[in-house]
Amino acid sequence: MPSNPTAYQQNLKTLSDRLVAIQQPIRILDAIKWPPHWREEFFAKGEKTPPPADKAYYQSIPLDFDLNTVKGELKSLLADIKKTLGKKDALGLILQDTTQQYLQVMDLIKDRGTTGFIDHSRALYGSAHDHLIGDRRSLKEVGEHLCGIFHLPAAKHISFAQPKLYDAPKSVEILQSKLDTYFTRHNVQVKLSDGIVSDAAAGGDSIKLNSRSSFSDRDLRVLEVHEGWVHVGTTLNGRAQPYATWLGVGSPRIAAHQEGLAVLMETLTFASFPARARRISDRVTAIHMAEEGADFLDVYRHFVNVGLSKNDSYAVAQRVFRGGRVDGGSAFTKDLSYVRGFVENLNFIHSAISAGRPELIPMLFVGKLNLHDIPALYGAYLDGTIEAPMYVPDMFSDLNGLYVWFGFANGMHLIDMKRVQNHFIDLFKDIPKVCPTTMSLNGGSRYRMVSACFVG
């Protein structure tokens, strides 16, 4: 903390630290998680009986806090923020909104396994019927469009099999080495875990890898930029703030920014691949189905029928129905954050460049935030209340390449792509259809063409 903080800065830190302490034991995903053995039982029973995720099950999950006590602390903090900082202070309004979000989280957790759960989820994470910032399209429409793109024959044609070369312990070693070169001022740990359902999960200054999983080179690159550069990086940047310490913790209001920025980083570093992108768009479809009344089995069977593996179909349905009701009528809408956040972060960058305000773009990494917070945070950066982010990927710290990339991308809107595509489709028509080829170094100096067929 700087040596001579103003009274305002001291008050901001005191209130912010209180919020950080109150929210510390709250873990939404832990409160709605399903045990791994449910998957095995589901398939053993012939995929005809949904997992036993009812209200009684969720109430049996122990919490590390008392709902009513935490709710009282949050209400007291909210009153103190308004009294101390005023009802219209820019940073105070962000702190108020974040505190209000945690009050809604208390209701979400209380109503696990009931039809009321989805109402709180929509309030926190939105609905598939929501529209994107400044656009008339709904998330459902964007998700359907992306599904169409990632289901095109070309997506399957280029999906070379990526062998899972590394078991979990070896993957920990490789990913640790990658992150050590990026996080030069902090000790970020990569650990094995038996307690997570997904392949990996980011904590404050650590990444957990599922001890039962194996990983490819591409998987580890995705984890490096998604979990490492974005999720861990923004946490450490937020924790380094001298006064606005809430920027080191994540309430639901920051989910779209975080997940969207992480997907954007996968895209800009060419780490992602069509099957992964398809999973993100499929989640929008699954949430829309659940909002329209589909149950767990409806969603599971839909994705099996459109070509997903049974394991992947179960995973999509599990993500949507955890916390809600597997017999329909209630769902968890958090996974809208990936598509919403990707588009809105992209539009923010486009708009900052077009408006002549590219200096705002690195603020995306200053901590756990909502895009609408950036004007206030940038103003506070100029007066010394907010510190510049410590960890920023190269393409966002030197904006020259990013500016050119977005400039060319924006210029492409002037071109009649349908006419261009028709020209090249005609040019391609006599080329034999074979397995796609990729290029690899032969002997370290010469490229050779390597054929690789998709293994379905």
Side-chain angles (χ1 to χ4, degrees):
M1 186 171 174
S3 56
N4 294 307
T6 65
Y8 170 80
Q9 290 170 337
Q10 289 177 320
N11 288 334
L12 183 68
K13 177 173 171 53
T14 298
L15 294 165
S16 183
D17 285 349
R18 280 175 62 187
L19 178 59
V20 171
I22 293 169
Q23 65 78 47
Q24 195 276 329
I26 302 171
R27 295 290 179 267
I28 297 174
L29 298 186
D30 284 348
I32 60 174
K33 63 185 177 183
W34 292 7
H37 66 83
W38 279 4
R39 179 194 297 258
E40 299 165 13
E41 293 172 0
F42 175 74
F43 291 118
K45 293 178 180 178
E47 306 152 44
K48 296 178 181 178
T49 305
D54 56 13
K55 182 177 180 180
Y57 162 72
Y58 289 117
Q59 297 305 317
S60 72
I61 299 175
L63 301 175
D64 293 332
F65 58 94
D66 178 75
L67 282 167
N68 291 327
T69 300
V70 171
K71 207 166 186 177
E73 291 173 345
L74 289 167
K75 288 180 178 179
S76 175
L77 173 60
L78 188 60
D80 287 346
I81 295 169
K82 294 175 182 178
K83 179 181 177 180
T84 305
L85 300 181
K87 295 182 179 180
K88 296 184 179 180
D89 176 72
L91 296 183
L93 287 172
I94 299 174
L95 200 50
Q96 286 182 48
D97 194 32
T98 305
T99 305
Q100 288 277 18
Q101 282 255 306
Y102 280 115
L103 281 167
Q104 186 87 52
V105 168
M106 294 300 98
D107 293 332
L108 177 87
I109 292 174
K110 178 177 67 69
D111 285 345
R112 291 168 294 170
T114 72
T115 53
F117 181 85
I118 193 171
D119 297 326
H120 305 304
S121 182
R122 284 173 174 150
L124 292 167
Y125 301 105
S127 162
H129 298 286
D130 289 348
H131 291 257
L132 295 159
I133 295 173
D135 196 276
R136 289 176 293 181
R137 294 175 185 83
S138 68
L139 285 167
K140 171 181 171 287
E141 291 173 295
V142 174
E144 288 174 345
H145 180 69
L146 292 174
C147 277
I149 293 172
F150 297 126
H151 279 77
L152 287 172
K156 188 172 183 179
H157 195 54
I158 64 172
S159 293
F160 306 130
Q162 279 280 315
K164 305 284 188 180
L165 297 174
Y166 312 111
D167 62 13
K170 182 62 177 177
S171 298
V172 166
E173 179 185 331
I174 295 170
L175 186 56
Q176 184 70 66
S177 177
K178 291 175 179 289
L179 295 181
D180 285 345
T181 64
Y182 185 79
F183 294 107
T184 55
R185 302 186 195 179
H186 289 84
N187 180 25
V188 173
Q189 296 263 321
V190 184
K191 308 173 182 178
L192 288 175
S193 174
D194 295 322
I196 57 175
V197 176
S198 58
D199 287 336
D205 55 4
S206 66
I207 296 175
K208 297 177 181 178
L209 299 189
N210 193 321
S211 59
R212 300 178 297 275
S213 298
S214 56
F215 300 84
S216 68
D217 285 308
R218 182 179 283 153
D219 293 332
L220 294 175
R221 177 58 170 163
V222 167
L223 292 174
E224 177 188 5
V225 302
H226 183 118
E227 307 290 352
W229 295 5
V230 176
H231 292 330
V232 174
T234 53
T235 297
L236 296 177
N237 288 339
R239 287 179 177 178
Q241 291 301 322
Y243 311 113
T245 54
W246 82 83
L247 288 172
V249 299
S251 67
R253 70 188 294 278
I254 62 90
H257 167 260
Q258 275 288 296
E259 301 300 354
L261 189 61
V263 174
L264 180 59
M265 284 307 310
E266 292 181 35
T267 306
L268 292 175
T269 57
F270 298 110
S272 196
F273 48 96
R276 178 173 174 81
R278 174 181 166 178
R279 287 200 294 271
I280 291 169
S281 57
D282 281 345
R283 292 169 188 172
V284 179
T285 300
I287 290 170
H288 176 252
M289 290 180 65
E291 287 190 283
E292 295 299 303
D295 63 22
F296 178 91
L297 294 178
D298 292 330
V299 172
Y300 169 76
R301 289 165 181 161
H302 167 80
F303 286 104
V304 170
N305 290 337
V306 298
L308 255 64
S309 71
K310 291 183 176 182
N311 275 326
D312 286 346
S313 298
Y314 178 93
V316 172
Q318 174 186 352
R319 292 180 69 97
V320 172
F321 286 96
R322 54 187 170 166
R325 292 181 59 91
V326 292
D327 57 353
S330 190
F332 190 43
T333 61
K334 177 182 181 290
D335 280 348
L336 296 171
S337 303
Y338 295 86
V339 169
R340 180 200 294 275
F342 175 80
V343 175
E344 292 180 350
N345 275 289
L346 202 62
N347 288 343
F348 176 89
I349 295 170
H350 265 300
S351 301
I353 289 173
S354 298
R357 302 303 304 271
E359 68 274 13
L360 297 176
I361 296 173
M363 297 298 290
L364 291 168
F365 291 88
V366 79
K368 306 295 189 185
L369 54 88
N370 184 291
L371 284 176
H372 289 95
D373 300 342
I374 288 181
L377 295 174
Y378 187 71
Y381 160 71
L382 294 177
D383 72 21
T385 301
I386 296 289
E387 294 284 344
M390 185 181 305
Y391 296 111
V392 180
D394 287 344
M395 66 194 70
F396 284 88
S397 56
D398 179 352
L399 295 172
N400 284 281
L402 197 68
Y403 185 98
V404 171
W405 192 90
F406 276 94
F408 276 120
N410 192 52
M412 293 296 288
H413 295 164
L414 301 174
I415 298 171
D416 185 345
M417 287 305 299
K418 191 65 178 176
R419 289 175 62 88
V420 172
Q421 288 168 4
N422 289 337
H423 169 81
F424 283 106
I425 288 170
D426 186 61
L427 181 67
F428 301 154
K429 67 182 179 182
D430 294 325
I431 299 175
K433 291 186 177 180
V434 296
C435 290
T437 55
T438 186
M439 300 184 76
S440 66
L441 279 172
N442 182 18
S445 60
R446 230 178 245 269
Y447 279 100
R448 63 187 175 89
M449 302 302 290
V450 180
S451 179
C453 289
F454 173 82
V455 179

